[in-house]
Amino acid sequence: TAYNLLKPDGRLFAICSESAFTNTYKRNEDFLKFLEEVCTVVTDIARGAFAESGTMAGARVIEIQK
């Protein structure tokens, strides 16, 4: 995984769909558990932030520091 490639004190940023936090699939539950384990900062992105690209989908920025 990308997390495993981080050096100590390295940071990973990702933009993720809101559905990763709201769907109840096992993979989503595993993902949320992983985020809790690595002390993640998650920031909401306002709906419509990507309207110019043709989507009103919600999203979040995920920051992970190793």
Side-chain angles (χ1 to χ4, degrees):
T1 65
Y3 179 78
N4 292 333
L5 297 174
L6 285 176
K7 294 180 180 181
D9 294 321
R11 286 200 270 173
L12 170 72
F13 289 86
I15 297 175
C16 187
S17 168
E18 184 69 25
S19 65
F21 296 87
T22 58
N23 288 344
T24 57
Y25 299 116
K26 171 105 171 79
R27 69 177 178 247
N28 293 59
E29 292 171 2
D30 293 344
F31 177 64
L32 295 176
K33 183 178 177 183
F34 167 75
L35 292 180
E36 287 177 11
E37 292 172 357
V38 296
C39 300
T40 313
V41 175
V42 179
T43 306
D44 290 337
I45 298 174
R47 284 198 180 277
F50 300 105
E52 285 186 28
S53 298
T55 183
M56 294 298 290
R60 298 185 189 189
V61 175
I62 300 169
E63 176 187 350
I64 299 171
Q65 185 167 357
K66 194 168 192 182

